[in-house]
Amino acid sequence: MTTAGSGEAVATDPWTPWIAAASSGIVRAAGAVGLSLPESEVRTLLDAEGGPEGDLAFPVHRLASLAGTPADELALRLAERFPPTPSLTAPAAKGAYLNFRVVPEELVRATLSLVLERGDAYGRGPPQEGAVCVEHTSANPTGPFHIGRVRNAIIGDTLTRVLRAAGAGVTTQYYIDDMGRQAAMVTWIWGKPRDSWPEPIRASVEGREGPDDKVDLRWGRPYPATSAYLKEHPGAAAEVAEVVRKIESGSPPPEHRAIAGKILEGMLASLARLGIGFDEFVWESDLLRDGSVERTLDRLRASTLAVREENGAWAIDAGGFALPKESTKVVFQRGDGTSLYVTRDVAYHLAKFARFARVIDVLGQDHRLHARTLEALLAAIGESHRPAFVIYQDITVPEGGRMSTRGGSAVWLDQLLEEAVERARGEVLARRPDLPASEVERIAEAVATGAVRYHIVRVAPDKAVRFRWEDALSFEGRSGPFVQYSYARASSVLRKGEAEGPPYPFDPSRLVDPDEVALVRTLSRFPGVVAYAARTSHVHAIAGYAHDLAEQFNRFYHAVPVLRSGAERASRLALVAASRQTLRNVLELLGVAPLETM
RNA sequence: GGGCCCGUAGUAUAGCUUGGACAUCACAGAGGCCUCCGGAGCCUCGAACCCGGGUUCGAAUCCCGGCGGGCCCGCCA
């Protein structure tokens, strides 16, 4: 282990030396047959996933066509010239491939040492330069969270955990849109005495209220009917417009921010159950108050692309940016002088660029054009920074179409969690009648929230998810509870063998069963998976890895006795300890609670 | 009409940015495993790259064209 303060890089990935050894060996072997190629190119060709025949695979096709030699023949010649390397078996030529295997004892020794030494830090990368801001969720405070919105929060939170593990310094932000028409609608309706509410709105609320209503449910309840009502009643819509104007002019109705705050409070309580929180909250209206919006308007009007409309509105002529709109104009200031959402978003991003080297926004696909418009406006004022967007597709309802609050197709996160807890409680009670009620409750909550988080994060963001209750509440197979179960099982074995550790001394030559080596190989992949997910924002890869690891551990568990074994017992306990540690670390990245027992 | 995204077994998904050897995993289906450290588990079997071109030694992956689905195209947010 590297000593503290030595300035040397701490080893974080067991594969680093093996990939280096294979690459430099290939370069030398190629040199010996008269071929010269840079090591960096070898590394990109080298398949670190291995193939059916080894841990590392090198396809020689490209070299072969360069040399004008048949690929099979070249593979054989390279295999002969590959220099002896202590940690790798001699390469085997198979067809057009050169296959390497890490010496199994070396794989076991290096991996288990690294996992057990690094502990909670296993999987983490070296610290990275540059502050990062991840903005996610930012749902309008108009009512309870529904499943569609929560995908944003889960992707954003997981991405944050992954980036931090990869070494980045991340600040999360939730942008609260308290200036738009949507928040104004809520204030408008609550600003009226209840007996003067329009009939359809009153009808949508009455008879559904209860004393224990969550704040977001209570204050958000009239929103869907209000939204529908305003579409058909221009007079009422004009009143809402007046609320918007007051907000924009800096003198909102006194209760405005308080109502938004209450709804937000309820939404955040739901997210907290999923382990999701935020470092900072940015109120849109604060950007107005501190002058950022005015400065942004000044810069936009000063742009060479700015044009004035007949009624006094201002726009950017974005024809050069090829936005897929019917008009090439992007209006950033209304005829009455007020700003628009996209304008305030420009102000917000300028504030982010001033503090952060990297700015990441997690957005639903319906915001894609908005993202491009934002970029166009940033370009128009000569700003060189751009946010990186992580775009995810919608969660759709089984009948087709997007999940929306208005259509009544929305399932609230709280409803989903309630169902999930109820089901989890039944499962726990059936299996563990010995546990006290409070413990059953704690486990049911962890299983339920773990299942929901996992179910949503496991799918690639650019794939739409069709919401089905039976899938969302599944506790078996590719699910959060499956991973939690493996963790609990590993914990149970270690409890029963607690006399032996920690620490867990081991002898690599005692861990030779194919299921043992396969498990170690899976453990060794973890740092690479974290780095990959951080680089590509493919957070679903973490969920996939968690499942692979849990599955591999279960295979080992069934195939190989641990506590009942003889000379191998100590080494197998070390393998269980390393597995438990890695399961714990990957669960942490997913925001799924590890359970010692379930 | 224009733009972006998606299309992999019955269902649902991984692999696609960096083209490479028998395409991953789950649910459902068929058949096995509880004298054994926790069966929310393990083992075995059957089953898929939307269609048509192109590039390439090689295409699920890259390019073009269809078809099907989603989303967006506002002085809303």
Side-chain angles (χ1 to χ4, degrees), chain A residues 178-200:
Chain A
D178 60 332
M179 288 189 64
R181 184 175 288 167
Q182 271 138 19
M185 283 187 225
V186 177
T187 296
W188 171 77
I189 192 66
W190 285 109
K192 293 176 173 303
R194 180 72 75 96
D195 54 18
S196 71
W197 282 15
E199 186 47 37

Side-chain angles (χ1 to χ4, degrees), chain A residues 60-89:
Chain A
V60 303
H61 311 82
R62 198 162 310 173
L63 260 187
S65 63
L66 237 89
T69 317
D72 297 20
E73 195 185 312
L74 181 62
L76 284 168
R77 285 167 60 198
L78 286 176
E80 280 168 21
R81 310 291 170 93
F82 192 85
T85 306
S87 58
L88 299 175
T89 58

Side-chain angles (χ1 to χ4, degrees), chain A residues 190-342:
Chain A
W190 285 109
K192 293 176 173 303
R194 180 72 75 96
D195 54 18
S196 71
W197 282 15
E199 186 47 37
I201 300 177
R202 195 171 8 171
S204 77
V205 168
E206 272 170 13
R208 300 187 192 190
E209 292 165 298
D212 298 326
D213 282 349
K214 231 163 126 264
V215 280
D216 48 343
L217 185 58
R218 169 169 151 66
W219 292 88
R221 186 138 36 203
Y223 174 74
T226 304
S227 172
Y229 180 83
L230 291 169
K231 284 204 169 68
E232 281 152 27
H233 296 82
E239 289 180 35
V240 171
E242 178 58 17
V243 176
V244 170
R245 203 197 54 75
K246 281 185 177 157
I247 296 167
E248 173 95 11
S249 67
S251 53
E255 67 280 14
H256 179 64
R257 191 141 159 175
I259 293 172
K262 275 179 214 195
I263 296 177
L264 183 67
E265 180 194 323
M267 297 164 78
L268 292 173
S270 303
L271 291 179
R273 287 179 74 182
L274 294 175
I276 299 173
F278 299 85
D279 298 319
E280 297 176 0
F281 295 89
V282 178
W283 290 78
E284 194 175 13
S285 57
D286 284 345
L287 296 171
L288 188 83
R289 286 211 319 230
D290 71 11
S292 315
V293 173
E294 195 50 49
R295 283 194 298 278
T296 300
L297 286 169
D298 288 342
R299 285 182 70 178
L300 283 162
R301 282 188 304 256
S303 166
T304 54
L305 298 172
V307 290
R308 189 109 198 241
E309 304 289 292
E310 284 172 14
N311 68 348
W314 283 87
I316 290 292
D317 185 346
F321 300 107
L323 297 176
K325 283 157 56 92
E326 270 147 31
S327 164
T328 62
K329 303 256 183 77
V330 175
V331 176
F332 62 86
Q333 183 175 338
R334 295 192 184 93
D336 65 6
T338 58
S339 63
L340 284 98
Y341 173 73
V342 69

